[in-house]
Amino acid sequence: MRPHCTIILVIALLAGCLTAHGQSTASTKPVSRAGTVDTTSLRGKVMCGYQGWFRCPDDTAKMGWIHWSRDSRRIAPGLLTFEMWPDMADYSATERYPAPGFTYPGGRQAELFSSDSAPTVLRHFEWMRDYGIDGAWLQHFLVDLPGGPQPSRCSSRLRVLNHVRAAALKTGRVWALSYDIADMPVERIFDVLTSDWKKMVDEKVVEDPRYLHQGGHPAVQIWDFYFGNEHDPMNAELANRLIDFFASPGRYSAFLVGGGDWNWRRNLDPAWQKFYRRFGAYCPWNIGNYVPDQSKVKHAATSYWAEDQRECERLGMLWIPGVYPGFSWDNLQRQSPGTSLISRRGGRFLWEQFFELSRLGVDTVYVAMFDEVDEGTAIFKVTSSPPPARALCRLRWLAQRLVSAARRRRRTPVA
């Protein structure tokens, strides 16, 4: 175990969490992490999920306000799909995209970033290096790949992949592919995923000097092994086909990390129990899973961790627990403010999870997520001075009043 790794990361993340409670990032001193990260093993790594899915109208992709607004053509208070406004202070002028209609306190134009930008991705990996994070699992969404529902996004996603490769090389971080099957037609999942992996191997992407390996094989992660989830159409037959593909000897073999249900051991389906135990490693998605105490303060659910760890060790699998700093997706789900909030409590929510992992002797962790402001789990720099919430709430209130008035008019009988 590398105890210093956990301590450094938690100190760094606590510092980052303070930006949401009134402390400027400008006064936060990074925790230096000299040298390059070993690429030969998953063990001893603290890595983050990296979405890389934000786009702005005038960036290279020209796809509009992707993952900032529910309408790619425009951005407005009632259209926002994210919970935290990124701190843009460190970004260069060419990385900043004005968000029309939004101003910071004092009247200055508010701005956002695009992930389809080499300087921006490099900046994010520099933050990983400076704050003691070993690297990133790059989310690779099947819906954006050839054969998926929106292949027009593929060229932009491949640019982000290449930006990640270059940034990892410059900063000494590691990276690996994390395929996400969400919203993909089930009959296309195997062909699209395996075809892309073959391409990554044939084009020597996974021979990248900073690509992560385990046991001499390139590491690859697949989300989402969720039972009965309508957005993630996984079944035991498909799971076994995917596992067989990556386990087969030859040029396309890989060390497979499965990601899915946190309560995987409680699944009563014997077919699922069988394939769960075929992974090289398992990463349970614990995000949003919490237990309130007597004062109704929310704490991440961790009571099942020790048994997870024992079962994986018994099977010779690597257990990679998922931790998160807090949560909220009110804007994404169009809920009232505070409805889905799991408070960060100034970093204590995350600290408690690392403390428990330290007690269990765990040194391999998946942090969700580096840049996920859509669900309020981002650990990168966010501002404590976003565009005034009062103005946003006023506009939302006005829109609701207009909708209510229109509904009343429709209910009024015509004389």
Side-chain angles (χ1 to χ4, degrees):
M1 180 181 178
R2 296 185 314 166
H4 74 280
C5 179
T6 298
I7 293 172
I8 288 176
L9 177 69
V10 175
I11 291 173
L13 295 185
L14 282 173
C17 287
L18 290 175
T19 64
H21 294 269
Q23 180 171 319
S24 168
T25 55
S27 63
T28 302
K29 185 178 180 180
V31 179
S32 178
R33 186 88 183 278
T36 59
V37 179
D38 166 56
T39 63
T40 64
S41 176
L42 271 165
R43 297 184 181 275
K45 300 291 190 298
V46 177
M47 296 178 64
C48 295
Y50 190 72
Q51 301 283 30
W53 59 13
F54 299 98
R55 304 290 186 271
C56 297
D58 295 324
D59 65 7
T60 305
K62 300 293 188 295
M63 295 191 300
W65 296 106
I66 302 298
H67 278 277
W68 297 119
S69 171
R70 62 184 76 256
D71 183 345
S72 62
R73 298 165 298 179
R74 62 192 185 96
I75 189 167
L79 297 174
L80 297 186
T81 57
F82 61 104
E83 301 290 307
M84 310 160 78
W85 202 282
D87 186 339
M88 301 297 295
D90 291 352
Y91 295 78
S92 66
T94 58
E95 298 171 73
R96 302 179 184 185
Y97 295 87
F102 291 90
T103 57
Y104 296 117
R108 185 169 57 86
Q109 174 65 57
E111 300 156 319
L112 294 167
F113 70 84
S114 169
S115 303
D116 196 343
S117 163
T120 294
V121 174
L122 175 59
R123 191 173 311 284
H124 292 167
F125 271 71
E126 288 173 341
W127 289 346
M128 293 181 202
R129 176 198 62 203
D130 294 345
Y131 290 92
I133 298 170
D134 292 304
W137 289 100
L138 174 63
Q139 295 293 103
H140 211 46
F141 299 92
L142 265 61
V143 292
D144 294 344
L145 301 180
Q150 43 196 35
S152 61
R153 297 188 179 188
C154 184
S155 58
S156 179
R157 180 142 294 284
L158 290 178
R159 281 196 298 270
V160 174
L161 184 150
N162 286 323
H163 297 334
V164 165
R165 295 176 66 185
L169 185 62
K170 289 182 180 179
T171 59
R173 303 302 91 189
V174 296
W175 75 282
L177 283 166
S178 180
Y179 287 100
D180 195 309
I181 72 166
D183 295 319
M184 186 70 176
V186 65
E187 68 276 6
R188 299 192 217 167
I189 291 174
F190 181 84
D191 289 340
V192 171
L193 194 157
T194 56
S195 293
D196 189 78
W197 178 254
K198 289 177 180 178
K199 178 181 177 182
M200 294 294 143
V201 173
D202 293 342
E203 296 183 358
K204 302 187 184 304
V205 172
V206 299
E207 294 182 24
D208 186 287
R210 304 309 307 156
Y211 195 89
L212 187 61
H213 285 65
Q214 176 67 30
H217 297 284
V220 63
Q221 186 179 57
I222 299 178
W223 296 103
D224 308 282
F225 292 92
Y226 297 117
F227 185 77
N229 188 316
E230 62 178 329
H231 298 292
D232 305 296
M234 182 58 70
N235 58 61
E237 180 184 3
L238 173 59
N240 281 307
R241 287 185 69 197
L242 290 168
I243 295 170
D244 287 343
F245 170 81
F246 287 105
S248 297
R251 62 185 286 114
Y252 302 120
S253 63
F255 182 86
L256 180 59
V257 180
D261 288 316
W262 68 267
N263 57 346
W264 59 286
R265 287 182 293 102
R266 301 179 186 177
N267 189 330
L268 298 178
D269 189 314
W272 279 64
Q273 285 301 324
K274 186 175 181 180
F275 83 69
Y276 273 138
R277 287 157 174 77
R278 297 186 61 204
F279 295 121
Y282 188 68
C283 181
W285 184 256
N286 199 41
I287 289 66
N289 188 18
Y290 69 88
V291 177
D293 62 21
Q294 291 182 345
S295 302
K296 297 184 178 181
V297 175
K298 298 175 181 178
H299 305 266
T302 62
S303 62
Y304 69 95
W305 280 2
E307 188 58 35
D308 259 19
Q309 182 185 31
R310 284 192 291 269
E311 179 65 3
C312 286
E313 288 178 350
R314 184 184 72 82
L315 296 166
M317 289 167 49
L318 176 61
W319 178 58
I320 306 179
V323 303
Y324 66 113
F327 182 85
S328 178
W329 62 2
D330 291 344
N331 284 331
L332 187 64
Q333 299 295 323
R334 293 182 169 176
Q335 298 173 334
S336 299
T339 301
S340 62
L341 178 65
I342 300 176
S343 176
R344 298 185 175 217
R345 293 187 281 116
R348 288 186 292 277
F349 184 86
L350 182 61
W351 177 274
E352 291 165 357
Q353 295 167 76
F354 273 99
F355 182 85
E356 178 64 14
L357 292 176
S358 178
R359 190 182 69 80
L360 294 172
V362 175
D363 67 354
T364 306
V365 183
Y366 180 103
V367 181
M369 306 277 288
F370 185 81
D371 55 344
E372 173 66 285
V373 292
D374 312 59
E375 298 181 7
T377 64
I379 62 167
F380 71 175
K381 300 183 183 184
V382 300
T383 182
S384 57
S385 300
R390 187 182 307 170
L392 304 187
C393 291
R394 171 66 184 174
L395 287 173
R396 188 178 297 122
W397 172 84
L398 179 59
Q400 291 171 346
R401 287 290 298 270
L402 290 172
V403 170
S404 297
R407 287 174 177 167
R408 285 197 298 272
R409 284 196 296 272
R410 286 199 298 269
R411 289 196 297 266
T412 302
V414 178

